[in-house]
Amino acid sequence: MSKLMRRLSLSQRLSIPVMSVIILVFLCFQFITYQNYLSIEQQNLLTRTRILASGVGMNLTAAVLFNDPVVGNEVLSAFKADPLVAWVRLEHPDHRVFARYENPALTFVPPSTEQQHQIASQGHHFGDDLLYLIVPVTLDNEPIAHMHIAVSLQTLKEVRRTHFQISFALLLVIFAISAYVVNRIQTWVTQPITQLNHAMTRIIKNENPAPLQPHTYDELGELVKCFNSMQVKLNERNAKIRATLRQLGDEKAFADDIIETVQHALIVVDAQQRITLANEACAGVLEHKPDNLLGMQIKAAIRPEAPDIFQSQVQAVLKGEHQLDQTVVIGANSGGETRYYQLTSRPLHKRQQTLFAIENVTKRQLAQRQQKMAAKVFDSSQDAIMLLNSAGKVQMVNPAFTQYLGYDAREVIGRHFHRFIDVATFGRMEQLIMRELAQTGHWQGEINQRCKDGSYIPLLVRINNIKDSHDLQTVLIASDLRSMKEMKRLEHLATHDPLTNLANRSKLCEEIDHLLMAQQQSQQLFAVLFIDLDDFKQINDNYGHNAGDLVLKIIAERLNRTVRRSDLVARLAGDEFVTVIYPVGQQADVVLTSQRLLRRIREPIQLEKEAQVDMGASIGCYYVHPEQGLTVEDILRRADKAMYGAKLSGKGQIIEFNTYHPGPRSV
């Protein structure tokens, strides 16, 4: 191949590479374009199918939950919207077929065993004619079924065919353009150079070369004259040049050895702020190869955060007005990531340029910022923080610690933490805490901590072990629970009856409101029981109000123990109570609950001075159905009316305001 190329003429050696490179570049570009376009089309087809399948899957949830294949097939028919979907099969997690869809206009080819493995591992696979994929049908992010989908690749094949046709047409155009370019090269370049080459060959073969006579007066004629003059002067200068180059080579090798051993990036910048020299360390510091830096503006190499300010600083340095000494500049690398550079500059007077030594101090700057930020977080934290070493001695405390416990930092640091805790309380928990720290490295719990003045405050304490290469340290973070406990107490007082500790009217209305809103989704009915004690006034008249309060407390406790945890017992006022039964499975459950409540109320109550009273009650029941659209006051009023009906019927009765009937259930 090499001998063949040497035998070719200059015209052929110019023409063949030019046409080859143009055609090769075109083919590579077309191949890359085709691969990218095909990949995009495949991804679009896969995304479109998954979006369609996800929408269908949301509608399939109800059919799968209620095991309704008919509805499942109807929902799967939505894939008709995409004519490329050839086949869909909906399976349970145990691979039982639940529903299917087939497009009669397309042919379905089952995947091979190897393709099935790829589908299972990747979730999809592009075959020769079909795209196979699996889309889960989920409920609360848990798969309840899987759709196996096959999609036709007809559109991708049509795209491939169209791309090949366009590429072939463009190739013909490239051939024509290349032929024209080669013709122009031969006319403008090859023929004049060939003539000059023949003339130079005659001169070289002549032992006593005579000056070449120019036959033209254009640039080639001038080139011949220059060639003759050059031959004369070159012989004179060759000896001087060889000696000078030998000396310069030695000096340059010595300078290069020194420069390359320096770990800082060294660049030389001229008056136009262009880089004229760069050492190998620039590749690590500036993340640019030294050859790429040559001719580049120093601002482009560093990419400063404030380019105008940096350019003015560099301009002042180049003018000799001042120099940089370990000045930190915020810049960025080629990827846009922030970098901190430390610059030092020195003038090169002979070259009238400036040398810059640059060090990448990003890690150092970030570490310093993190340390400052951690110190600010430590000092401004509203939680008390104490750092202990492996010997249990206090190393650091924050201002919140001194505020909570009253100890000054100088009283604490360097001393064992046992001196600042309640040993009686901590001693009972120490073994548990140490065991948790040994197993998991952290512990959390509540502790009543003694302050410096002897008072106690409730704290939520979180203890964590921190391991580093030098020592094992322990961090204690404590939050003041006084305000939190007070808020919980006030909230409880606002929503509960102070005598019986049952929910009050406000809490009852709030809970029924929540049930009414939830009922719109669940479609489950609930029952409201209005309970009024019979002849309670006689207790107050005969035994006094203290005895009446005691009876109310006992009745409230009995009601609370009789119903389920999901039910609610509230005291409206005086001897009126309300019980909310939710959910209601059937009418018999409410009746049995009401009867149990009456039996518990009728149990004898022992008062002081060996007095014993028997109580009774009347109950009015109202069933709240989802389609009624009632307010809380409407519900309580109807339950109250049913209770008065029970009173009029002879007391101790259970009267239902409305009839029970199960409402529609939504899926």
Side-chain angles (χ1 to χ4, degrees):
M1 185 66 181
S2 177
K3 293 181 179 179
L4 178 62
M5 291 298 296
R6 286 197 295 268
R7 293 176 182 177
L8 296 177
S9 64
L10 177 62
S11 175
Q12 293 172 332
R13 282 185 291 189
L14 286 176
S15 303
I16 292 175
V18 169
M19 294 188 66
S20 300
V21 169
I22 293 175
I23 294 173
L24 181 60
V25 170
F26 170 77
L27 293 177
C28 292
F29 177 79
Q30 289 296 315
F31 176 76
I32 295 172
T33 303
Y34 168 72
Q35 293 294 331
N36 291 337
Y37 188 72
L38 181 61
S39 176
I40 293 172
E41 290 297 324
Q42 288 178 343
Q43 189 63 36
N44 289 340
L45 178 61
L46 181 62
T47 303
R48 187 182 67 211
T49 305
R50 281 179 171 166
I51 292 173
L52 177 59
S54 298
V56 174
M58 293 176 63
N59 295 326
L60 282 171
T61 305
V64 174
L65 290 177
F66 289 93
N67 196 21
D68 192 345
V70 175
V71 175
N73 287 323
E74 291 179 357
V75 175
L76 287 181
S77 65
F79 282 101
K80 292 180 180 179
D82 191 345
L84 296 179
V85 177
W87 177 84
V88 181
R89 184 178 65 197
L90 181 62
E91 293 182 357
H92 286 292
D94 58 358
H95 303 293
R96 288 185 295 108
V97 178
F98 179 75
R100 66 176 64 240
Y101 161 77
E102 295 182 3
N103 189 346
L106 300 174
T107 303
F108 170 68
V109 179
S112 62
T113 303
E114 182 179 356
Q115 290 175 335
Q116 291 177 359
H117 289 307
Q118 294 180 357
I119 295 171
S121 61
Q122 300 178 2
H124 70 276
H125 174 72
F126 284 90
D128 296 333
D129 299 309
L130 294 173
L131 163 63
Y132 306 96
L133 70 156
I134 300 176
V135 178
V137 178
T138 61
L139 178 63
D140 294 336
N141 296 326
E142 292 294 332
I144 60 175
H146 294 83
M147 285 187 287
H148 297 259
I149 305 173
V151 184
S152 174
L153 300 179
Q154 291 178 354
T155 55
L156 294 182
K157 292 182 178 180
E158 293 175 359
V159 169
R160 186 184 297 113
R161 190 182 304 110
T162 302
H163 190 276
F164 286 156
Q165 292 173 352
I166 295 174
S167 299
F168 182 76
L170 290 176
L171 183 60
L172 295 179
V173 174
I174 292 296
F175 267 116
I177 295 174
S178 301
Y180 176 80
V181 171
V182 170
N183 178 265
R184 293 297 90 195
I185 291 176
Q186 292 176 349
T187 302
W188 296 333
V189 179
T190 306
Q191 293 177 1
I193 291 179
T194 301
Q195 295 173 0
L196 181 59
N197 180 60
H198 293 329
M200 293 176 66
T201 302
R202 290 194 300 268
I203 295 174
I204 293 173
K205 291 181 178 180
N206 192 357
E207 296 181 356
N208 296 312
L212 184 64
Q213 296 298 325
H215 298 285
T216 60
Y217 298 98
D218 56 7
E219 289 83 0
L220 290 176
E222 293 297 327
L223 180 62
V224 171
K225 293 180 182 179
C226 292
F227 177 79
N228 293 331
S229 301
M230 180 186 65
Q231 290 289 351
V232 176
K233 294 181 179 180
L234 281 177
N235 292 329
E236 297 175 355
R237 295 181 181 179
N238 277 341
K240 296 180 180 179
I241 291 174
R242 283 193 294 268
T244 303
L245 289 177
R246 191 180 304 110
Q247 181 180 1
L248 290 176
D250 294 340
E251 293 177 356
K252 183 177 183 300
F254 179 71
D256 289 343
D257 290 341
I258 295 176
I259 292 174
E260 296 307 325
T261 56
V262 177
Q263 298 300 315
H264 292 22
L266 299 178
I267 59 174
V268 177
V269 179
D270 61 13
Q272 288 74 36
Q273 300 189 16
R274 294 192 301 264
I275 299 175
T276 60
L277 183 64
N279 67 340
E280 290 295 331
C282 292
V285 176
L286 299 177
E287 302 180 40
H288 284 285
K289 293 183 178 179
D291 295 339
N292 296 337
L293 288 173
L294 299 181
M296 183 185 296
Q297 293 281 329
I298 183 174
K299 180 175 68 175
I302 295 180
R303 301 178 68 181
E305 186 178 60
D308 296 337
I309 297 176
F310 178 78
Q311 187 169 2
S312 62
Q313 288 179 334
V314 173
Q315 190 66 34
V317 168
L318 297 177
K319 291 180 179 180
E321 296 176 359
H322 78 279
Q323 298 300 325
L324 302 178
D325 287 301
Q326 297 183 349
T327 303
V328 177
V329 176
I330 302 176
N333 62 3
S334 57
E337 298 176 350
T338 302
R339 294 289 184 267
Y340 291 84
Y341 299 111
Q342 183 174 279
L343 277 67
T344 300
S345 65
R346 292 295 180 268
L348 302 176
H349 297 290
K350 292 184 178 181
R351 299 174 61 94
Q352 295 184 350
Q353 296 179 353
T354 303
L355 173 66
F356 288 86
I358 306 173
E359 182 183 3
N360 188 345
V361 294
T362 303
K363 293 183 178 179
R364 185 193 311 166
Q365 290 290 324
L366 292 179
Q368 291 177 357
R369 289 181 60 186
Q370 289 178 352
Q371 289 178 354
K372 292 179 180 178
M373 184 61 66
K376 290 182 179 179
V377 171
F378 183 81
D379 291 337
S380 61
S381 174
Q382 298 299 313
D383 295 332
I385 303 176
M386 181 167 60
L387 180 64
L388 308 177
N389 61 14
S390 58
K393 293 185 177 181
V394 180
Q395 292 182 302
M396 296 175 62
V397 293
N398 68 336
F401 177 89
T402 61
Q403 178 183 354
Y404 285 174
L405 303 184
Y407 292 100
D408 188 83
R410 291 171 295 182
E411 301 178 75
V412 177
I413 295 177
R415 300 188 179 185
H416 201 278
F417 75 96
H418 277 167
R419 300 188 60 177
F420 313 105
I421 64 171
D422 186 357
V423 178
T425 302
F426 183 76
R428 295 191 298 269
M429 307 172 61
E430 185 171 10
Q431 293 184 354
L432 173 62
I433 295 175
M434 294 304 177
R435 183 168 61 252
E436 287 291 326
L437 290 176
Q439 294 176 355
T440 64
H442 57 84
W443 177 86
Q444 176 175 313
E446 291 188 22
I447 293 179
N448 285 327
Q449 175 60 33
R450 185 187 64 207
C451 301
K452 183 178 180 180
D453 59 5
S455 62
Y456 285 83
I457 60 173
L459 297 177
L460 174 62
V461 180
R462 298 174 294 278
I463 305 177
N464 295 278
N465 281 338
I466 301 176
K467 296 181 180 180
D468 57 21
S469 57
H470 302 289
D471 195 6
L472 173 66
Q473 296 180 327
T474 303
V475 177
L476 286 82
I477 303 175
S479 302
D480 190 354
L481 295 178
R482 287 176 294 185
S483 58
M484 188 181 304
K485 290 180 178 293
E486 180 64 17
M487 288 177 61
K488 290 182 178 179
R489 188 184 69 83
L490 294 176
E491 180 182 359
H492 184 81
L493 290 176
T495 58
H496 287 76
D497 176 48
L499 177 64
T500 62
N501 204 31
L502 295 179
N504 59 14
R505 187 183 189 89
S506 173
K507 181 67 173 178
L508 173 66
C509 294
E510 179 182 347
E511 292 298 325
I512 294 179
D513 265 334
H514 290 166
L515 289 178
L516 290 174
M517 287 188 291
Q519 194 179 51
Q520 302 304 316
Q521 299 293 331
S522 65
Q523 295 295 304
Q524 287 187 328
L525 60 83
F526 61 93
V528 176
L529 305 181
F530 202 111
I531 305 170
D532 187 83
L533 301 182
D534 296 333
D535 302 324
F536 177 74
K537 185 175 180 299
Q538 297 179 4
I539 302 296
N540 288 330
D541 294 341
N542 297 333
Y543 300 98
H545 289 282
N546 290 337
D549 291 344
L550 177 60
V551 170
L552 291 176
K553 290 181 181 179
I554 295 174
I555 294 298
E557 184 179 358
R558 290 179 180 179
L559 294 177
N560 223 4
R561 291 184 178 181
T562 304
V563 298
R564 303 169 301 182
R565 289 191 176 182
S566 61
D567 302 332
L568 174 68
V569 179
R571 181 192 178 202
L572 291 186
D575 58 345
E576 294 178 343
F577 298 88
V578 172
T579 299
V580 180
I581 309 298
Y582 177 84
V584 174
Q586 53 187 351
Q587 183 179 10
D589 296 338
V590 179
V591 174
L592 290 175
T593 300
S594 301
Q595 292 173 349
R596 284 199 307 270
L597 291 172
L598 285 180
R599 288 197 301 269
R600 293 301 305 276
I601 293 173
R602 290 169 181 165
E603 294 177 0
I605 299 176
Q606 187 69 37
L607 300 178
E608 297 178 358
K609 300 179 181 179
E610 300 181 355
Q612 179 175 299
V613 296
D614 297 325
M615 294 301 303
S618 299
I619 299 179
C621 174
Y622 182 75
Y623 296 104
V624 183
H625 296 274
E627 68 274 7
Q628 293 175 316
L630 299 176
T631 64
V632 177
E633 294 300 329
D634 293 335
I635 295 171
L636 293 178
R637 185 170 56 253
R638 297 185 180 190
D640 185 25
K641 187 175 181 180
M643 184 273 296
Y644 275 107
K647 291 279 189 183
L648 297 176
S649 298
K651 300 182 180 180
Q653 303 296 319
I654 302 171
I655 297 297
E656 295 179 341
F657 182 89
N658 57 344
T659 58
Y660 169 90
H661 64 86
R665 298 291 300 276
S666 66
V667 290

